[in-house]
Amino acid sequence: MRFDVVSIFPEYLAPLELSLIGKARQDGILELNVHDLRDFATDRHRTVDDTPYGGGAGMVMKPEPWALALEPLAQASAADVPDPVNRTEAAALLDPEVRAEAGDRSGSDGQGSQAALVKPTLIVPSPAGDVFTQQLAQELSTEDRLVFACGRYEGIDERVLEWAADYFTVRPISLGDYVLNGGEVAVLAMVEAIGRLLPGVVGNPASLIEESHSDGLLEYPVYTKPSTWRERSIPDVLLSGNHAKIAQFRRDEQLRRTVARRPDLIAALDPALLTKTERATLAELGYAVVGGRLQRH
Ligand code: ADE
């Protein structure tokens, strides 16, 4: 999988050279290229921002450096198309008219140019975007390429997003309901969350199955040696060697924890997918199925 990140602070992305993601890059499981937006500025001061039309606080990122930075990234994806016949066609895809025609043709003959027409996804981190979730990370981890456009100041001139939609599937994405100084920290989080789902990045794939959010619930608590520490003992069942009982204990803890910390996740569960025992635990925790949904009674 290939990631491209455009930012005015390329150094911000340095942590992605470390740990599991850094190792995955070395192993060739993922490629990550960071591009300095200022390299695409059109004046000698390398200006990337200007005052907002209509007035107001702060500065807005100018459109032209963004177009110049993103164009080659759209082209790179066209060149990546493996079939040489499609590749010629794909190179022309930067021209929206050619694109529209190729789209019509692939629609009519139902084959051939389809692969070339897949637009890479352009993620624009923004507090005004769709919220980033584990499910979205899963979805994005199946793509071949992701391009990230890190805004700063008051944001990027809106016309860039409209223009980019000709070449990319544009997705404004938010980490949550709070405001960061720019998109870089959000990209660090997203690349890590997406990258660790790629085969071979996390040593033991079982750990991906049992973690928080993988099944809509929070993770169960974990303990290690010593079994008693500062007069606190671990739950006895974990020393029982009874795997069924341990699994039951962990599931109950997941449910208990999710009820206490994230009742919104309980409300989003599909009761039809729960086992009888899970429904019984939830009943003890004060939940009943009402109109096909779990509700507190
Ligand atoms: N940029 C600024 N705030 C952000 C947020 N909450 N999520 C993603 N990108 C952002």
Side-chain angles (χ1 to χ4, degrees), residues 2-296:
R2 173 173 158 179
F3 297 89
D4 287 276
V5 184
V6 183
S7 162
I8 57 165
F9 293 121
E11 302 84 1
Y12 237 112
L13 286 309
L16 296 174
E17 283 164 24
L18 305 174
S19 187
L20 293 182
I21 298 295
K23 169 98 173 23
R25 289 171 74 180
Q26 279 172 8
D27 294 346
I29 298 173
L30 66 89
E31 178 186 341
L32 189 138
N33 308 300
V34 183
H35 311 269
D36 188 344
L37 181 69
R38 288 194 195 278
D39 290 346
F40 301 90
T42 52
D43 66 329
R44 68 188 178 91
H45 300 292
R46 292 160 55 88
T47 310
V48 293
D49 62 331
D50 209 333
T51 51
Y53 276 118
M59 301 290 270
V60 173
M61 294 190 110
K62 290 161 68 66
E64 193 55 13
W66 275 110
L68 295 174
L70 294 174
E71 259 165 1
L73 299 177
Q75 198 155 34
S77 82
D80 283 347
V81 174
D83 173 350
V85 176
N86 281 345
R87 200 177 298 153
T88 324
E89 205 170 77
L93 284 179
L94 277 179
D95 178 342
E97 276 180 28
V98 177
R99 238 196 145 96
E101 252 179 52
D104 290 349
R105 258 184 294 125
S106 73
S108 57
D109 66 20
Q111 53 170 313
S113 43
Q114 203 71 25
L117 287 173
V118 174
K119 296 179 189 175
T121 296
L122 175 66
I123 296 177
V124 186
S126 159
D130 293 332
V131 176
F132 188 65
T133 59
Q134 187 65 22
Q135 197 188 327
L136 186 48
Q138 287 277 6
E139 200 182 305
L140 293 170
S141 72
T142 63
E143 306 217 359
D144 291 335
R145 306 197 51 222
L146 293 174
V147 179
F148 295 87
C150 298
R152 282 262 147 186
Y153 317 117
E154 298 308 307
I156 303 172
D157 186 309
E158 190 64 24
R159 292 167 295 178
V160 173
L161 277 66
E162 293 164 17
W163 163 86
D166 278 339
Y167 315 110
F168 299 92
T169 299
V170 180
R171 300 201 62 168
I173 297 183
S174 171
L175 275 202
D177 293 339
Y178 44 82
V179 180
L180 303 166
N181 286 336
E184 288 79 4
V185 167
V187 170
L188 290 176
M190 287 190 262
V191 168
E192 180 157 316
I194 296 165
R196 67 194 295 282
L197 297 176
L198 301 177
V201 175
V202 170
N204 180 0
S207 53
L208 296 180
I209 295 166
E210 292 190 1
E211 63 196 8
S212 287
H213 301 293
S214 58
D215 56 2
L217 295 174
L218 303 184
E219 199 174 14
Y220 51 78
V222 292
Y223 306 88
T224 188
K225 292 173 219 42
S227 61
T228 302
W229 172 77
R230 298 198 180 192
E231 293 168 26
R232 289 160 193 276
S233 295
I234 63 165
D236 289 339
V237 65
L238 297 179
L239 295 169
S240 70
N242 183 329
H243 295 299
K245 274 201 170 148
I246 292 173
Q248 173 70 51
F249 164 79
R250 287 179 167 166
R251 197 65 178 166
D252 284 354
E253 285 299 300
Q254 275 193 285
L255 291 167
R256 239 184 277 285
R257 209 179 231 199
T258 311
V259 163
R261 297 181 187 172
R262 293 290 305 275
D264 57 309
L265 296 180
I266 298 287
L269 290 175
D270 179 354
L273 300 179
L274 296 173
T275 64
K276 227 170 148 186
T277 330
E278 287 164 346
R279 272 203 294 271
T281 306
L282 282 168
E284 273 173 34
L285 293 169
Y287 279 84
V289 181
V290 182
R293 288 279 144 215
L294 283 156
Q295 281 185 18
R296 215 181 248 289

